[in-house]
Amino acid sequence: MKRLSSSLFLLPFLLLAFVYSLFFPNGFSILPSLARCNNNRNNNMPATGASMSTSMRLANAADQAPAVDFRVLLGVVTRAEMYERRALLRLAYALQSPPERAVIDVRFFVCSLATEEDAVLVSLEIIAHGDIVVLNCTENMDDGKTYSYFSSLPRLFPGDEAYDYVGKIDDDSYYRLAALADTLRHKPRRDLYHGLLAPCHTDPASQFMSGMGYIVSWDIAAWVAETDSLRRDVKGPEDEVFGRWLRSGGKGKNRYGEVTRMYDYLDGGMKDGVNCFRHALVADTVVVHKLKDRLKWARTLKFFNATQGLKPSRLYHVDL
Ligand SMILES: *[C@@H]1O[C@H](CO)[C@@H](O)[C@H](O)[C@H]1NC(C)=O
Ligand SMILES: *[C@@H]1O[C@H](CO)[C@@H](O)[C@H](O)[C@H]1NC(C)=O
């Protein structure tokens, strides 16, 4: 009797998991890694996060997912009106194979919503995807968003919800999550700064983090949050500002660059030439930047074999 009632209790969850797996065989949006590996920490993202972790936890019990070594919050710092870009990024990340033994949560960070349409449409995205964070900042201010971003994190993800690393990435950058996880796996979890040190081949003392994307350990975000003087030191290109902060505070001593694996997009149709931070796509890419239009995204995603998952069907033909 007892066994019967407990299996009856499980039935709706199993059904949910089954229906879920029918509709979203590869997980959903950019959250699969969150759900898959969210072993023993809570996550406060609403909606999809919650329903997914139920079904994924059931799946987990079945296939004994390997333990998670570390967790990364990859914050795409963008603007509310970038709807199409977010749609592309969700697709791009949902279709990547997830990193092994690491959780990488991709989230979009926007400043306070300023128009009636954004208030409604961003709300709908949050309901559907649960992957947007609205910071308290104003979008027309070009200084201070980096400060708002890093200084909010410890409050937004307190205690158990904290990550090991946090990235700040452009919305025209495409990270390859498995490659990123592999580069971070054996690196220090504290006082770390990982990105493309620019300008290339110059004195490290004057280098700064290229704005395409960089990753720091969580203690650095906590340090930004508790260092009030940084709030007033926000003038200038934001990646330079961030480099200046770290130098002034003696932070980020464990510094790693990924020259050749982090670069700006280049293809034959462009007038730019190859240099130390710009070249054609390469297989071991960690991040490619300056994906400014649909064609560049399309070529990049095709290069990384994102289209290989397309199954033949009489319902469509996609060849030109
Ligand atoms: C924005 O400010 C409000 C009110 O001060 C606060 O409750 C909220 O947590 C803040 N949000 C972020 C993302 O910092
Ligand atoms: C894409 O797939 C092809 C064929 O399987 C393979 O040769 C190539 O290395 C893959 N490209 C990348 C970037 O992984």
Side-chain angles (χ1 to χ4, degrees):
M1 189 59 207
K2 196 159 169 235
R3 209 179 316 142
L4 180 68
S5 64
S6 70
S7 45
L8 276 179
F9 169 77
L10 271 179
L11 200 61
F13 293 99
L14 288 171
L15 213 66
L16 188 74
F18 176 67
V19 170
Y20 176 85
S21 69
L22 276 185
F23 281 90
F24 306 114
N26 296 323
F28 182 61
S29 78
I30 57 188
L31 303 165
S33 57
L34 173 150
R36 184 189 324 273
C37 306
N38 200 3
N39 291 347
N40 35 30
R41 301 205 213 185
N42 295 324
N43 190 287
N44 64 359
M45 296 309 286
T48 44
S51 61
M52 210 161 21
S53 39
T54 309
S55 54
M56 298 299 266
R57 235 176 271 138
L58 288 170
N60 250 2
D63 59 35
Q64 288 296 317
V68 167
D69 294 338
F70 60 92
R71 300 168 76 246
V72 185
L73 173 66
L74 214 50
V76 180
V77 176
T78 182
R79 297 191 310 277
E81 76 263 21
M82 301 292 281
Y83 294 98
E84 180 179 340
R85 184 60 56 79
R86 280 196 294 282
L88 248 174
L89 283 162
R90 284 193 184 102
L91 257 181
Y93 285 115
L95 296 176
Q96 276 192 22
S97 25
E100 280 173 38
R101 291 179 288 119
V103 171
I104 303 183
D105 291 338
V106 181
R107 299 283 183 260
F108 300 103
F109 287 77
V110 301
C111 281
S112 307
L113 305 175
T115 66
E116 181 184 349
E117 75 212 43
D118 287 342
V120 175
L121 298 180
V122 170
S123 296
L124 298 180
E125 274 186 81
I126 293 174
I127 294 167
H129 302 291
D131 58 4
I132 297 182
V133 177
V134 182
L135 297 170
N136 288 318
C137 48
T138 41
E139 203 58 78
N140 56 14
M141 135 186 121
D142 16 291
D143 39 41
K145 195 167 177 186
T146 304
Y147 179 82
S148 296
Y149 174 63
F150 283 106
S151 63
S152 307
L153 295 173
R155 213 168 3 91
L156 294 173
F157 303 95
D160 261 9
E161 295 169 33
Y163 290 80
D164 299 292
Y165 299 112
V166 49
K168 174 178 173 293
I169 73 182
D170 272 2
D171 61 12
D172 60 350
S173 291
Y174 176 57
Y175 269 80
R176 298 185 64 243
L177 303 182
L180 174 65
D182 289 342
T183 70
L184 291 176
R185 186 170 316 279
H186 300 294
K187 297 209 165 50
R189 302 281 193 259
R190 294 189 64 80
D191 208 25
L192 170 134
Y193 158 100
H194 173 276
L196 176 71
L197 298 167
C200 335
H201 314 310
T202 52
D203 172 14
S206 59
Q207 282 178 324
F208 58 90
M209 230 26 161
S210 155
M212 63 172 66
Y214 52 83
I215 296 194
V216 295
S217 49
W218 193 257
D219 57 303
I220 289 185
W223 170 75
V224 172
E226 69 204 19
T227 308
D228 213 44
S229 58
L230 301 180
R231 186 197 301 274
R232 293 180 297 276
D233 178 15
V234 294
K235 288 275 181 270
E238 55 176 354
D239 40 6
E240 281 179 30
V241 170
F242 194 76
R244 189 165 76 217
W245 290 352
L246 294 191
R247 274 197 291 277
S248 73
K251 297 285 171 185
K253 292 206 191 59
N254 300 308
R255 231 181 247 199
Y256 298 92
E258 303 278 346
V259 186
T260 76
R261 302 184 71 193
M262 306 185 74
Y263 55 94
D264 286 355
Y265 178 91
L266 180 68
D267 70 32
M270 296 166 60
K271 59 180 181 344
D272 301 308
V274 173
N275 64 17
C276 69
F277 60 85
R278 180 169 57 223
H279 53 77
L281 295 166
V282 292
D284 70 349
T285 297
V286 172
V287 55
V288 49
H289 176 229
K290 293 256 167 95
L291 300 175
K292 297 272 185 209
D293 56 52
R294 285 183 208 149
L295 181 58
K296 294 185 173 70
W297 277 98
R299 287 181 174 163
T300 300
L301 292 172
K302 184 159 169 56
F303 178 84
F304 291 114
N305 288 332
T307 52
Q308 276 185 359
L310 188 74
K311 300 200 169 50
S313 165
R314 67 173 178 278
L315 297 180
Y316 45 73
H317 55 96
V318 297
D319 295 324
L320 299 178

